[in-house]
Structure formats: C-alpha cells, structure tokens
Amino acid sequence: MFTASIKLGRILGIPIGLHFTWFIVFFLVIGLLAVELFPRLFPGWPTVQYWGIAVATSLLFFASILAHELGHSVVALRYGIQVKSITLFVFGGVAQIARDAPRPGIEALIALAGPAVSLALGGIFLGIFFLANGSNESIAALSLYLGRINLIVAVFNMIPGFPLDGGRVFRAVVWAIGGDFVKATRTSSLVGRGVGYLFIAAGLFLGFWTRDVFSGLWIAFIGWFLENAASQSYTQVAVRESLKGVLVREMMSTDVPMVPKRLDLRTLVGNHILFSGRRFFLVGEFGSWDGLISLKDIKNVPQQKWLETRVGDIMTPASTVATVGPQDEALHAMEVMDEADVKQVPVKADGEIIGVVGRENVVRFLRTRTELRVR
C-alpha cells in the first residue's frame, strides 16, 4: 500500500525505507514534545534542551516502530516466508510479506511478534525512566514517553480489526476453527471495516462535540485507513482464491519477442517499445535466450546514456530469471512475481521459453470471467 520514497538500507536482508508521509508525523511528534509535553512535565529546561530531547525521542520512537515490524519479519523469515520490505509511514510502519502464512498457528505467531516487541520495549524504557528519574531529567523524559508510546502501540495493534495485528490473530483463530482461510479473511475484514467505521464516528464526534478538531480528524483518518486496508486485504485474498485451479497456459501470451544483446537502448525504445507498448523482451539470438530485459531495467539508465548502453549490459541473466511452467497454477505465478518483485515471468517448458505471463494477463482474465459471470 505504501512504497518507500527514501531507501535507508537493509536489515537482515530486508530493504528499509521511508514514505514521504513519515516526515509529517516525525515533525509533529517533535513539536508536540518540545512545545507541550516536556515543558509541562519538566519545567525550567532551556529551549534548546526541549527541542534536542524531542528530536532524539522522535527518532527513537520510529526506531521502536521499526523494531516492531522487524519482530513480524524475523518470525516470517523463520518459517521461510520472504519479507519484501519494511516502510515507515504516517501511521507507523508496515512489513510487506510476500505471501500468506501456510497455517493458522504461523499466522498468529507472526502477528503476535510485533506487539510482543513493543511490549518489551515499553517495559525497558519505563524501567530506564524509574532509574533515571530524579538524577537525569533528559533521559527520564525521553524514556517516559517511549515507554508509554510503546505500550500504547502494543495495545492498539491488538485491537481485533484486520489488518491490525489483533485482527490477524482473530483471522488465525477463525481459520483454525473453520478451516477456511478465505472465509476467515472475509470475517476478519468485516470486523476490521467495522472497527474503522467506529474510529471514523469517534473522530467526528470528538471533533464536533469537544471542538478538538485536530484530534478528531486524526482519529477519523486512522479509521478511514483501517477500513480501506481491510477492504483491500479481502479483495486481494478473493482474487488469489479465484485463481485456484487456473493454469498458466490458460492465460499466458505466446507472443514473446526476442532482441539481440548488441542492440542499444535508444533503438530498443524507439523501434520496439514506443509503438508496440511491450514491457518485456527476451534477449538472445537464433532461438537461444540469454536473459530478459524489461521497462524497469531501462528506466534505471539515464536517457543520455541509452545510445551507448547495450541490451546485454543491463539484462537480467537467464540463470537468475524466475520462471514458471505451463502446468503451474496462475496463483503460483503470482507468488513468483511477488517474491521477485516483477510484473511478468517467462513460461518455460523443456528448457525453452514458450510464453510469458504477467499481471496484465491475470487482470484481463479475471475481468473477462467477471463480465461473462463464469464461476
């Protein structure tokens, strides 16, 4: 849902990034701490101390959110589930996990890991506060806020509204009882949407009744986000369920053009892409393929270097290309695309590429089946 705007690096091999909305809350937290909370709890500090401790506290707050998401990620990795990225954004953080857990118990463990980390951090910071209170007010102020906010994060995330962690635990329980993942997702999504509507109603009530417009709008905005996320999560699961039993060969395209490695990018774009709209090409000659090239590869090269850059310079080698077979399920192809973070994969049979299947093929297939009301 949120794609990183700024890439910070990797932890445990997981790309970590910031969405631009992160800066909104980062500076908002700094302002609230420096202007309101710290002056009220610790009067008499110099102004620079209020702002300095506020900046440090805000940074550690988001480090705590990152630790929360890493908690989910470590457990997911423990069970062989790829974590594509962690992004910090306006409402905290999100770990993008490539696929759903295979069993309810694993789903619950992944969901509980984040709140467990926040709970532990809350206890640690409150312990530091009790040790520092009266001897070091700067550390006491910082640890008091971080202790409280981590406990709040842990409790808030356990609200049984999907896609919050509590909602995922609720889905795991319903899944374990009924044995149907899709129905469990539908039930937990409905509960999640209900929780979202409650937040919206509470925010509007707070804004109009108490005249605290800012807090009311913020709560309502959180409710809108939860409702929207719950709805999208169920839609994604429903789409994946509708692909069960559908084979790659039923939706793949057999028209896969091949370009030579020596072709320059300017010619490739001008003669092969602009007028055809193709986004994907095999690379090779005389029926043998050496790799593939996509629009994503080309966009990483500045246009002024297109003439001097050859297709073979930036192609993805065949040995590292993820492929699927014509008898594989379309759902498996989607999982391969998700894990490789690509929009299409070649279809391989008997060592040769016989076609390609992409997200556009899947969308077209589902749209046509919906229009014809085919079940």
Side-chain angles (χ1 to χ4, degrees):
M1 180 177 294
F2 287 87
T3 303
S5 306
I6 300 174
K7 296 178 180 178
L8 300 180
R10 291 175 178 267
I11 299 178
L12 302 177
I14 304 169
I16 310 297
L18 299 178
H19 189 261
F20 73 90
T21 56
W22 174 84
F23 293 95
I24 299 172
V25 177
F26 176 66
F27 290 111
L28 181 62
V29 170
I30 292 174
L32 289 175
L33 292 176
V35 175
E36 183 178 337
L37 182 63
F38 289 163
R40 176 164 51 85
L41 296 178
F42 303 93
W45 286 4
T47 301
V48 67
Q49 185 175 359
Y50 286 128
W51 287 96
I53 300 302
V55 170
T57 303
S58 188
L59 287 171
L60 286 172
F61 165 61
F62 281 100
S64 299
I65 297 298
L66 177 58
H68 177 108
E69 298 304 326
L70 284 170
H72 294 306
S73 302
V74 167
V75 177
L77 292 172
R78 166 66 177 78
Y79 288 99
I81 302 174
Q82 181 190 7
V83 181
K84 297 172 65 176
S85 65
I86 294 177
T87 303
L88 300 178
F89 68 111
V90 65
F91 292 123
V94 59
Q96 188 177 5
I97 297 176
R99 57 185 174 87
D100 294 311
R103 300 191 300 276
I106 296 176
E107 164 91 346
L109 287 175
I110 294 173
L112 289 169
V117 170
S118 295
L119 190 63
L121 288 174
I124 291 170
F125 280 117
L126 287 179
I128 294 173
F129 165 73
F130 287 117
L131 292 175
N133 192 29
S135 59
N136 190 318
E137 286 192 340
S138 295
I139 294 179
L142 179 148
S143 56
L144 176 62
Y145 176 81
L146 291 172
R148 289 176 174 176
I149 198 66
N150 273 285
L151 294 180
I152 290 172
V153 168
V155 172
F156 174 79
N157 273 277
M158 287 308 297
I159 294 174
F162 194 80
L164 292 173
D165 298 331
R168 294 185 182 277
V169 173
F170 176 68
R171 178 173 71 171
V173 172
V174 177
W175 181 10
I177 294 173
D180 191 318
F181 176 73
V182 177
K183 288 183 178 179
T185 302
R186 181 187 297 114
T187 301
S188 57
S189 295
L190 288 173
V191 174
R193 296 184 69 182
V195 171
Y197 286 129
L198 285 176
F199 269 78
I200 293 173
L204 294 176
F205 174 81
L206 182 66
F208 286 104
W209 186 262
T210 67
R211 305 295 182 182
D212 188 353
V213 177
F214 176 81
S215 297
L217 287 176
W218 185 252
I219 293 173
F221 195 38
I222 292 175
W224 169 83
F225 171 77
L226 291 177
E227 192 281 330
N228 189 57
S231 179
Q232 287 188 17
S233 297
Y234 174 67
T235 299
Q236 291 172 0
V237 171
V239 167
R240 293 169 71 88
E241 181 67 15
S242 66
L243 291 176
K244 284 188 175 180
V246 179
L247 302 181
V248 167
R249 61 178 172 80
E250 298 178 61
M251 62 173 59
M252 74 179 191
S253 172
T254 57
D255 182 17
V256 188
M258 183 176 288
V259 296
K261 290 195 293 184
R262 65 180 182 276
L263 190 68
D264 65 85
L265 296 189
R266 180 177 293 180
T267 303
L268 174 64
V269 172
N271 295 352
H272 298 270
I273 295 178
L274 289 180
F275 297 103
S276 69
R278 297 185 187 278
R279 308 175 60 88
F280 174 92
F281 294 85
L282 295 181
V283 180
E285 292 183 86
F286 311 114
S288 64
W289 73 293
D290 302 306
L292 59 85
I293 187 170
S294 66
L295 288 189
K296 182 179 179 181
D297 301 316
I298 298 170
K299 288 191 293 185
N300 290 331
V301 180
Q303 289 193 27
Q304 59 268 27
K305 293 186 177 182
W306 281 2
L307 184 60
E308 63 189 73
T309 304
R310 306 297 168 182
V311 167
D313 297 334
I314 64 169
M315 73 176 188
T316 303
S319 59
T320 63
V321 174
T323 62
V324 295
Q327 298 301 319
D328 289 336
E329 286 196 352
L331 178 59
H332 172 67
M334 289 292 291
E335 291 175 348
V336 170
M337 284 185 272
D338 286 341
E339 292 189 5
D341 194 22
V342 294
K343 294 184 178 180
Q344 59 279 307
V345 291
V347 182
K348 189 176 181 180
D350 299 325
E352 296 184 1
I353 301 300
I354 62 172
V356 62
V357 62
R359 299 182 190 277
E360 292 180 357
N361 301 89
V362 176
V363 171
R364 190 182 306 115
F365 175 85
L366 292 174
R367 184 185 298 122
T368 302
R369 190 163 73 171
T370 300
E371 289 178 359
L372 295 175
R373 299 180 180 178
V374 176
R375 296 185 180 274

